[in-house]
Amino acid sequence: MSTKTHYFSEEPAGDFATKPLTVELAADKVQVLTAPGIFSPGGVDKGTRILLDEAPAPQGTRLLDIGCGWGPITLTLAMLTPEAQVYGVEVNPRAAQLTQMNAERLGLNNIRVSSPQALDESLTFDTIWSNPPIRVGKEVLHEIMQTWLPRLSPGGNAYLVVQKNLGSDSLQKWLVQTFPDLETSRYASSKGFRIIRVHRP
């Protein structure tokens, strides 16, 4: 299965056969469902784990996960901030369905999952966390950044985890050049990954 199938397929390959998985999210052991045809069905991938461990506590009342997969970031945001509304956007309908199923399994009623185009264009976000799909190529990645980063609320922060050898430093440089109204910096480095912080003053 290609990486594009993982991230961007409107019709994931294979049967939708869910399997239970025990993972640690927000310092709790929880049981979730995954399935073939999505990104990282075997557990929390390394980049996402670093983001969950290193990013500061989410702030605000509207939070966003770009490319939610089966939901590790979305679920964590919702568990950490039960008073906030958490939005997970995902182009793979199977992955989006799994995030919704996992939210229901964990009793998290502050999560809304949708395709990117279905989300209200007027919404802005106080916190964005994402393990963006770097392997889809620069053109698509840049389009994703140009869609969502301008929707940071004043005072809001985005934290993006990117593997160093997949271009974290070049992405950071591009973000600085492309969004002069935002403040872009390296927030943390761990195990071959960078966390990039993008802040709207």
Side-chain angles (χ1 to χ4, degrees), residues 14-182:
D15 294 333
F16 186 23
T18 62
K19 66 173 184 177
L21 184 71
T22 300
V23 295
E24 183 177 315
L25 301 176
D28 277 346
K29 293 280 189 186
V30 296
Q31 190 175 82
V32 297
L33 297 175
T34 69
I38 64 167
F39 174 67
S40 192
V44 180
D45 66 285
K46 188 176 179 182
T48 295
R49 174 52 61 196
I50 288 169
L51 178 67
L52 298 181
D53 289 346
E54 299 285 344
Q59 304 294 317
T61 58
R62 285 192 301 274
L63 317 181
L64 174 68
D65 173 15
I66 306 166
C68 60
W70 56 259
I73 294 173
T74 298
L75 300 171
T76 298
L77 288 170
M79 293 166 75
L80 292 173
T81 55
E83 74 286 355
Q85 184 67 57
V86 179
Y87 297 84
V89 292
E90 175 58 63
V91 298
N92 182 322
R94 178 176 299 180
Q97 184 178 348
L98 285 165
T99 297
Q100 191 62 58
M101 292 167 68
N102 287 328
E104 292 168 4
R105 284 172 68 87
L106 300 181
L108 300 169
N109 58 12
N110 59 329
I111 288 175
R112 295 182 188 175
V113 186
S114 71
S115 64
Q117 61 269 25
L119 199 61
D120 183 348
E121 291 184 6
S122 69
L123 285 174
T124 59
F125 303 97
D126 305 308
T127 296
I128 297 174
W129 283 7
S130 182
N131 180 359
I134 298 298
R135 294 179 185 275
V136 297
K138 284 186 179 180
E139 184 177 345
V140 174
L141 176 66
H142 290 173
E143 184 180 331
I144 292 169
M145 297 295 105
Q146 289 169 316
T147 297
W148 299 108
L149 292 181
R151 295 172 69 171
L152 273 173
S153 305
N157 291 291
Y159 293 91
L160 314 170
V161 64
V162 182
Q163 198 167 343
K164 182 181 177 184
N165 66 11
L166 292 181
S168 60
D169 294 347
S170 63
L171 175 62
Q172 182 175 331
K173 186 181 297 184
W174 179 85
L175 291 169
V176 170
Q177 295 169 345
T178 305
F179 301 105
D181 57 325
L182 304 177

